[in-house]
Amino acid sequence: MDESKQGILLETGTNELEIIVFEVGTSLFGINVLKVREIIPAQTITPIPNSHRHIEGIIRLREEVITVVNLTDVLGFEPANNLNDDKFIIAELNQLKVAFRVQDVSRIHRISWQDIRKPNELAQNIETAATGVVKVEDDMILLVDFEKIIVDINPERSISVHQVKQLGERERNNKKIIVAEDSAILRKLIGDTLKEAGYDQVQFFEDGQALWEFLYNKKEDESLFDDLQLVITDIEMPKMDGHHLTRRIKDDEILQQLPVVIFSSLITEDLFYKGKGVGADAQISKPQIVDLIKVIDQLVL
């Protein structure tokens, strides 16, 4: 294994993340470093006729054509005066590369998922909700829900119940699954899709900490493994991330026999080593729900 992969493994499961803080309009926002491929000065854009209102157009970066999304537009701020000073954050999520236009980028901060709080209900009613908020020094940083931005622009990038139909007729299954997923929208989509696939017994938790506490409190119950067959977890969640949750399950002498599937938009070639390092039984990239169901079928036999 090369040195970069070793570094990834050494930092696995610490329940910490690094965020890049950037400026849009008059506010500060953050993005998980794991989503960022590079940051470049704003480039000349080729417009796309009849595209979504938040899409500025496309750029050619080396051998790739990448769509540019204007975060000033998405987040409802007034257009910047001098676009030449803007930056493009080249991000990869849901197996898609996107350039997000921002005004400025500052330094990287290392924080704990324990320090991230969910926005209150009022804040979550904005068009593009934040996944969390964290105080860094004297600043409040909103972590943008980039996955929601992509799905709002292109709904085909989301999980769909209709995808399950390609699996054909399926019988009802009494196996119980528990899921850690912080997005209310995705909890509903995953629940509806698993139900369509025959898995009716699904219980959801809003973050890894809540799921871990549930398991920890039940692990001495002799009937635990009769009632529960599988754990599915996202990676990015307040309080406890999916890698840390997986490591705690797999380090526990009793709970380690539970299969754990990581289902996240962050499954890239490099990050696959993180999931493997904490003992995940499988890793599936959102929104590949059919692949997730096939893996569940194998693991709950």
Side-chain angles (χ1 to χ4, degrees):
M1 184 184 300
D2 63 34
E3 290 183 0
S4 64
K5 298 275 192 318
Q6 288 178 348
I8 289 171
L9 283 177
L10 287 172
E11 296 186 3
T12 297
T14 62
N15 207 38
E16 293 180 316
L17 76 156
E18 291 181 325
I19 60 170
I20 296 175
V21 177
F22 60 88
E23 183 178 334
V24 176
T26 57
S27 297
L28 295 176
F29 300 89
I31 181 171
N32 192 333
V33 168
L34 297 178
K35 294 179 180 177
V36 178
R37 292 294 161 261
E38 57 184 307
I39 298 170
I40 62 174
Q43 308 285 306
T44 300
I45 295 173
T46 301
I48 304 175
N50 301 318
S51 59
H52 190 279
R53 68 185 187 279
H54 295 324
I55 293 178
E56 290 191 52
I58 55 176
I59 60 170
R60 186 176 182 86
L61 185 61
R62 292 180 287 278
E63 299 303 317
E64 294 183 280
V65 175
I66 298 176
T67 301
V68 179
V69 173
N70 190 321
L71 279 188
T72 302
D73 234 11
V74 172
L75 298 172
F77 289 100
E78 292 296 323
N81 293 326
N82 188 356
L83 297 180
N84 293 328
D85 293 335
D86 286 353
K87 302 290 190 298
F88 286 168
I89 297 176
I90 311 299
E92 184 175 359
L93 55 155
N94 289 359
Q95 299 181 324
L96 180 72
K97 282 188 179 179
V98 181
F100 293 100
R101 179 191 285 274
V102 303
Q103 271 69 72
D104 197 11
V105 177
S106 64
R107 64 191 181 91
I108 294 173
H109 296 274
R110 191 172 186 87
I111 59 177
S112 169
W113 284 106
Q114 282 283 357
D115 296 330
I116 297 173
R117 295 292 177 262
K118 294 287 288 185
N120 61 34
E121 293 180 3
L122 180 62
Q124 288 179 344
N125 287 332
I126 62 175
E127 182 180 354
T128 300
T131 59
V133 58
V134 62
K135 186 174 182 180
V136 178
E137 297 172 352
D138 294 327
D139 296 316
M140 296 298 290
I141 310 296
L142 288 173
L143 303 180
V144 177
D145 192 343
F146 288 93
E147 285 77 6
K148 184 178 185 300
I149 293 173
I150 297 301
V151 169
D152 286 347
I153 292 173
N154 183 0
E156 292 183 3
R157 303 297 303 185
S158 183
I159 295 167
S160 171
V161 173
H162 298 294
Q163 295 173 316
V164 182
K165 297 187 183 301
Q166 65 179 276
L167 296 173
E169 292 295 323
R170 295 175 59 85
E171 297 180 358
R172 298 292 95 186
N173 196 306
N174 63 0
K175 305 294 187 181
K176 184 172 181 180
I177 298 169
I178 57 175
V179 183
E181 169 59 63
D182 66 320
S183 167
I185 294 172
L186 284 178
R187 286 197 299 271
K188 184 178 188 312
L189 287 172
I190 292 171
D192 290 346
T193 307
L194 291 181
K195 185 175 182 179
E196 180 70 20
Y199 293 101
D200 296 321
Q201 305 300 314
V202 182
Q203 183 175 355
F204 285 91
F205 298 86
E206 293 187 2
D207 55 67
Q209 181 71 37
L211 189 148
W212 169 251
E213 290 175 358
F214 170 81
L215 282 178
Y216 187 82
N217 290 331
K218 289 180 68 69
K219 73 174 186 173
E220 302 297 340
D221 188 339
E222 293 181 359
S223 65
L224 172 63
F225 299 107
D226 295 329
D227 298 335
L228 177 61
Q229 281 76 41
L230 186 81
V231 175
I232 299 172
T233 180
D234 191 12
I235 291 178
E236 290 188 297
M237 295 178 290
K239 298 184 180 179
M240 184 184 293
D241 70 39
H243 284 141
H244 190 66
L245 170 64
T246 303
R247 190 181 74 174
R248 295 191 76 166
I249 292 172
K250 293 303 183 179
D251 283 349
D252 188 281
E253 292 183 358
I254 296 174
L255 298 174
Q256 62 184 217
Q257 62 184 288
L258 271 175
V260 179
V261 179
I262 295 176
F263 185 50
S264 169
S265 62
L266 288 177
I267 304 299
T268 61
E269 181 180 353
D270 285 342
L271 290 178
F272 185 85
Y273 286 88
K274 277 197 166 224
K276 188 175 180 181
V278 293
D281 294 271
Q283 300 176 75
I284 307 296
S285 176
K286 293 175 182 175
Q288 305 302 325
I289 193 69
V290 171
D291 291 341
L292 176 64
I293 292 168
K294 289 178 180 178
V295 166
I296 294 172
D297 290 345
Q298 295 170 0
L299 293 175
V300 300
L301 290 178

